[in-house]
Amino acid sequence: MTDNRTGSGPLHTARVRGGATVVTLHGEIDLLTATPLSSRLDVLTAGPRPDLVLDLRTVDFIDCAGLGVLCRVRNRVQARDGRLRLVTDSIGFRRLLRATGLTDVFEVHSRLPECLGGGTPPGPRAASAG
């Protein structure tokens, strides 16, 4: 497990079941943290078929720059035939995804264990319900 600083909070990564890299984000994902976070996620998605889980449950705030980071990492993962999952229990974050038309773009889970259950990845629409 590594601990990296990204402005307002630490970013932790760990290898877990099935080779997925789980990144737990804390604090705010905004204009100040977007660039270092994006750089770190670029490193984690550089190889073929990245399997990345972003645990957003302890994120307090995300702005348009933060959404841009999530879209960028999604595009990188998709281009490399990988998988990206977001974990959040935030009603506000899910509302933000709906308001920006991004609900069907991301595979979203409420809990980390359900997200790491394995199997074939469901389509974004099926996974984002709830």
Side-chain angles (χ1 to χ4, degrees), residues 36-64:
L37 176 58
S38 187
S39 295
R40 180 66 179 140
L41 295 175
D42 282 356
V43 170
L44 294 173
T45 58
R49 300 187 55 83
D51 188 358
L52 186 63
V53 176
L54 297 181
D55 186 349
L56 305 172
R57 291 175 296 172
T58 57
V59 169
D60 302 322
F61 175 80
I62 186 166
D63 68 5
C64 60

Side-chain angles (χ1 to χ4, degrees), residues 19-121:
T21 301
V22 178
V23 179
T24 303
L25 300 170
H26 302 277
E28 299 179 356
I29 305 174
D30 57 15
L31 188 58
L32 295 175
T33 61
T35 299
L37 176 58
S38 187
S39 295
R40 180 66 179 140
L41 295 175
D42 282 356
V43 170
L44 294 173
T45 58
R49 300 187 55 83
D51 188 358
L52 186 63
V53 176
L54 297 181
D55 186 349
L56 305 172
R57 291 175 296 172
T58 57
V59 169
D60 302 322
F61 175 80
I62 186 166
D63 68 5
C64 60
L67 285 177
V69 170
L70 296 180
C71 289
R72 174 183 165 81
V73 74
R74 179 209 170 262
N75 292 342
R76 285 179 56 84
V77 167
Q78 190 173 44
R80 290 164 176 77
D81 295 321
R83 184 176 183 188
L84 172 66
R85 291 165 277 183
L86 305 181
V87 179
T88 182
D89 52 9
S90 169
I91 294 168
F93 180 73
R94 288 175 186 263
R95 188 177 302 131
L96 179 63
L97 290 179
R98 273 193 307 275
T100 56
L102 296 173
T103 301
D104 294 335
V105 170
F106 293 103
E107 182 181 338
V108 181
H109 298 267
S110 298
R111 297 184 321 250
L112 196 56
E114 85 181 18
C115 160
L116 296 174
T120 42

